[in-house]
């Protein structure tokens, strides 16, 4: 850059430089307020958010966080996984969360009624139930009715969506499991672990969990007439400290990458 | 006659006051949030009564087992010189310092149906510890027994051996010496040790939930019931917590000064 030695030349050059910089900043800054239809994430975000998400989303959201970070290296997405009932209680008690992804519309409605949700929740996925048994299915369990053959069945607590939907499915199948045979898991991951690493003979978890068992278990599908579908709403928490990033994460989950990852994990589409 | 004591430094007293606050405030919080109005109905709900009954039975069994299995070991550690004694003593203290959930995982790997001890037990005898009340007792004994062993061992070491010598010189057999001389001499430490063991067994959570699962009426002890009730049934959770707090206070008051003296090596 050639600079004139006279002071007037200095001023002119400085003014031009400033104007150029100002234009560049204005051009970059304006793109973040309206996401385009082809790309769901705006340019160069920074900040960090905490996403309180249902346990069943551990795998899919973990994967999405990696790809999101690759696209937006200046951001950090931290997760707080747990049963939707527990997460709802935490948010109502003021736990710092920016996004809430629940496994049941009921828990989202509870938080919304308490005034802790900003905007309208959007359903981003659905899930169904599946039975998981020990490798090789030694007890020959092929339906919910066969669960009575098991000496111990793992179910989620009823304050978790996987627990309340499991109770619904059992009621639809007219199966009553004696209390002395049921061990309760605080969330769907804990329930699954009772079968894969513990000694429970069978457990009722989501289809997405059954897909992850590998050699440690076998999935047994539940008849469509008895199965229960649960919808997953996602929303921004009112007390969020970074609304832009929270909205960007939700847009990412709803966008093509997010939906593709969820589909691969065996989640059903929102509609 | 004690000499005239100097007043402690203000800083020391100030910090001590803060510490008392730190320890007391959570308990005050528990007391203020207690559902005093519905306390009786909360404690008589099926979940609560099952948990109370189960906790009482399992903790008493665990204390009994700790006495039966722990006393001989305490004796050997205190009275018998053998190579590796320090190692054995460290082993007996290990469950005390091990995080309880780690203890639960270890028990699962040993006594679970696929465990190296659990598999033969299940295949040959049909015995399964996981998800059973016996499993709860096993887990509680594992974490609580060390309290009894080190308390009794300390007492045996520090007691005056001359009474036992005198008794055996006068013709008393070993069992008589133990029953009539040793036991009475260590009785206060033994009681303190048993009380600590019982309290520890009563409060066990991590090992129980990992090894024995969470089955109402069968393995859902008080701490597990509190954990479960926290979601969606907070009054019952607080009521049960109060019950556990009351038990702890009773144990401490009953032991009074002996508690500290008993566990000091």
């Amino acid at each position: 850059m050639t600079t004139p030695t006279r002071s007037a030349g200095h001023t002119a050059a400085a003014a031009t430089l400033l104007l150029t910089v100002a234009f560049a900043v204005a051009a970059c800054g304006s793109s973040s307020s309206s996401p385009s239809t082809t790309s769901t994430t705006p340019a160069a975000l920074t900040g960090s958010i905490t996403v309180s998400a249902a346990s069943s989303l551990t795998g899919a959201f973990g994967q999405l966080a990696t790809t999101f970070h690759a696209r937006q290296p200046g951001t950090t997405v931290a997760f707080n996984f747990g049963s939707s009932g527990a997460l709802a209680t935490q948010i109502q008690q003021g736990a710092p969360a920016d996004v809430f992804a629940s496994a049941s519309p009921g828990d989202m409605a509870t938080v919304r009624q308490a005034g802790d949700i900003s905007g309208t929740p959007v359903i981003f996925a659905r899930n169904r139930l599946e039975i998981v048994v020990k490798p090789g299915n030694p007890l020959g369990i092929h339906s919910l009715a066969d669960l009575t053959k098991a000496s111990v069945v793992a179910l989620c607590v009823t304050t978790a969506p996987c627990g309340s939907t499991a109770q619904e499915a059992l009621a639809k199948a007219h199966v009553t499991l004696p209390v002395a045979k049921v061990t309760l898991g605080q969330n769907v991951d804990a329930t699954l672990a009772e079968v894969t690493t513990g000694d429970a003979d069978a457990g009722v978890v989501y289809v997405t969990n059954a897909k992850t068992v590998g050699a440690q278990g076998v999935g047994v599908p539940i008849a469509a007439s008895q199965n229960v579908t649960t919808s997953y709403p996602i929303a921004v928490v009112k007390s969020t400290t970074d609304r832009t990033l929270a909205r960007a994460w939700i847009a990412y989950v709803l966008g093509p990458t997010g939906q593709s990852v969820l589909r691969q994990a065996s989640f059903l589409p929102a509609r | 006659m004690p000499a005239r004591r100097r007043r402690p430094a203000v800083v020391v007293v100030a910090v001590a006051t803060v510490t008392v606050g730190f320890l007391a405030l959570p308990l005050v919080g528990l007391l203020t949030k207690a559902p005093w109005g519905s306390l009786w109905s909360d404690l008589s709900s099926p979940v609560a009564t099952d948990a109370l009954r189960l906790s009482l039975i399992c903790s008493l069994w665990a204390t009994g087992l700790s006495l039966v299995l722990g006393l001989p070991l305490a004796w050997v550690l205190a009275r018998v010189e053998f190579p590796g004694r320090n190692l054995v003593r460290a082993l007996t203290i290990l469950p005390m310092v091990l995080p309880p959930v780690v203890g639960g995982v270890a028990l699962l790997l040993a006594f679970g149906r696929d465990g190296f001890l659990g598999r033969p037990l299940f295949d040959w005898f049909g015995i399964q510890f996981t998800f059973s009340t016996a499993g709860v007792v096993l887990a509680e004994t594992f974490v609580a027994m060390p309290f009894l062993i080190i308390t009794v061992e300390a007492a045996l070491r520090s007691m005056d051996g001359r009474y036992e010598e005198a008794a055996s010189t006068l013709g008393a057999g070993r069992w008589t010496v133990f029953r009539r001389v040793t036991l009475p001499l260590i009785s206060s430490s033994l009681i303190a040790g048993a009380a600590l063991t019982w309290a520890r067994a009563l409060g066990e959570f991590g090992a129980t939930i990992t090894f024995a699962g969470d089955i109402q009426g069968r393995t859902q002890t008080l701490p597990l019931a509190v954990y479960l009730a926290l979601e969606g049934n907070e009054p019952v959770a607080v009521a049960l917590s109060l019950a556990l707090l009351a038990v702890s206070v009773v144990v401490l008051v009953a032991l009074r000064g002996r508690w500290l003296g008993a566990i000091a090596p």
Side-chain angles (χ1 to χ4, degrees):
Chain A
M1 183 162 83
T2 54
T3 45
T5 49
R6 305 237 203 117
S7 55
H10 269 270
T11 322
T16 318
L17 194 60
L18 269 172
L19 276 171
T20 317
V21 170
F23 265 113
V25 167
C28 288
S30 63
S31 66
S32 62
S33 56
S34 50
S36 64
T37 46
T38 47
S39 104
T40 48
T41 47
L45 284 177
T46 54
S48 76
I49 53 167
T50 304
V51 176
S52 280
S55 299
S56 42
L57 293 163
T58 310
F61 270 23
Q63 220 182 313
L64 281 174
T66 317
T67 52
F68 188 78
H69 186 77
R71 259 204 226 183
Q72 300 282 356
T75 62
T76 311
V77 179
F79 292 105
N80 175 23
F81 291 114
S83 81
S84 307
L87 295 174
T89 310
Q90 284 172 10
I91 291 174
Q92 284 170 76
Q93 288 176 345
D98 300 281
V99 175
F100 181 33
S102 163
S104 97
D107 289 310
M108 180 61 81
T110 312
V111 180
R112 209 174 165 202
Q113 263 177 348
D116 290 316
I117 293 292
S118 152
T120 316
V122 178
I123 306 285
F124 67 96
R126 289 179 306 155
N127 213 345
R128 308 200 94 199
L129 296 171
E130 188 165 333
I131 303 171
V132 171
V133 295
K134 288 286 185 192
N137 199 350
L139 294 172
I141 293 174
H142 299 292
S143 66
L144 284 173
D146 287 340
L147 285 177
T148 48
K149 291 188 205 172
S151 59
V152 176
V153 177
L155 296 176
C156 295
V157 290
T158 48
T159 48
C162 53
S164 55
T165 49
Q167 295 294 339
E168 242 185 273
L170 286 168
K172 272 191 185 176
H174 307 293
V175 174
T176 322
L177 292 172
V179 170
K181 276 194 185 180
V182 174
T183 183
L184 298 167
Q186 285 297 114
N187 54 57
V188 76
D189 283 345
T191 308
L192 181 67
E194 297 273 30
V195 181
T196 53
T197 54
D199 283 349
D201 298 304
V204 178
V205 295
Y206 291 122
V207 167
T208 51
N209 296 101
K211 193 174 184 272
T212 64
V213 291
Q216 290 179 305
V218 167
V220 173
I222 297 176
S225 57
Q226 296 168 348
N227 211 333
V228 180
T229 309
T230 181
S231 306
Y232 285 61
I234 191 169
V236 176
V237 176
K238 192 173 259 185
S239 62
T240 177
T241 51
D242 196 334
R243 193 169 301 270
T244 316
L245 187 54
R247 288 220 195 104
W249 173 258
I250 294 178
Y252 192 62
V253 168
L254 291 167
T257 320
Q259 291 295 304
S260 145
V261 167
L262 289 164
R263 203 71 58 253
Q264 272 179 339
S266 296
F267 281 94
L268 295 170
R271 272 163 284 97
Chain B
M1 186 84 77
R4 195 178 74 97
R5 293 205 206 102
R6 290 176 49 186
R7 301 204 17 241
V10 176
V11 170
V12 173
V13 173
V15 173
T17 314
V18 170
T19 310
V20 169
F22 173 64
L23 294 171
L25 283 174
L27 303 175
V28 171
L30 190 62
L31 289 169
T32 50
K33 281 212 89 171
W36 297 109
S38 59
L39 197 68
W40 185 249
S41 66
D42 286 331
L43 288 176
S44 0
S45 62
V47 167
T49 48
D50 275 343
L52 284 162
R53 183 183 46 85
L54 201 61
S55 270
L56 205 63
I57 295 173
C58 293
S59 58
L60 287 174
W61 267 102
T63 311
L65 268 179
S66 299
L67 281 166
V68 167
L69 297 175
L71 271 176
L73 183 57
W75 179 274
V76 168
L77 283 173
R79 297 290 170 86
V80 180
E81 296 269 354
F82 63 91
R85 181 161 71 162
N86 282 330
L87 198 62
V88 173
R89 187 176 294 120
L91 189 68
T92 58
I93 299 180
L94 190 63
M96 267 173 79
V97 298
L98 203 63
V101 72
V102 174
V105 171
L107 284 168
L108 199 60
L109 295 173
F111 290 102
R113 275 212 306 235
D114 280 335
F116 70 89
L117 275 174
R119 191 192 288 269
L121 276 172
F122 186 70
D123 290 339
W124 302 341
F125 305 108
I127 296 174
Q128 182 181 335
F129 282 113
T130 47
F131 300 118
S132 69
T133 312
V136 178
V137 175
L138 186 67
E140 289 183 359
T141 310
F142 181 77
V143 299
M145 190 159 57
F147 283 87
L148 186 86
I149 297 175
I150 61 167
T151 312
V152 171
E153 193 209 330
L156 286 170
R157 277 171 174 275
S158 61
M159 66 175 271
D160 194 338
R162 290 176 296 175
Y163 292 106
E164 290 170 322
E165 284 171 28
S168 52
T169 312
L170 290 168
R174 272 205 259 199
W175 174 243
T176 314
V177 172
F178 179 73
R179 194 168 46 93
R180 303 282 300 275
V181 180
T182 318
L183 270 185
L185 280 174
I186 62 166
S187 66
S188 66
S189 292
L190 188 61
I191 292 169
L196 279 176
T197 305
W198 180 61
R200 179 69 186 89
L202 198 65
E204 178 43 43
F205 175 81
T208 311
I209 199 170
T210 312
F211 183 63
D214 196 344
I215 303 179
Q216 186 182 330
R218 216 199 247 188
T219 69
Q220 194 177 89
T221 52
L222 272 174
L224 270 66
V226 170
Y227 186 54
L228 199 84
L230 274 177
E231 292 313 319
N233 206 349
E234 209 190 274
V236 170
V238 179
L240 289 173
S241 304
L242 275 177
L244 278 169
L245 178 65
V247 165
S248 312
V249 169
V250 165
V251 168
L252 286 174
V253 166
L255 289 179
R256 281 182 285 254
R258 288 180 284 192
W259 192 82
L260 290 167
I263 64 167

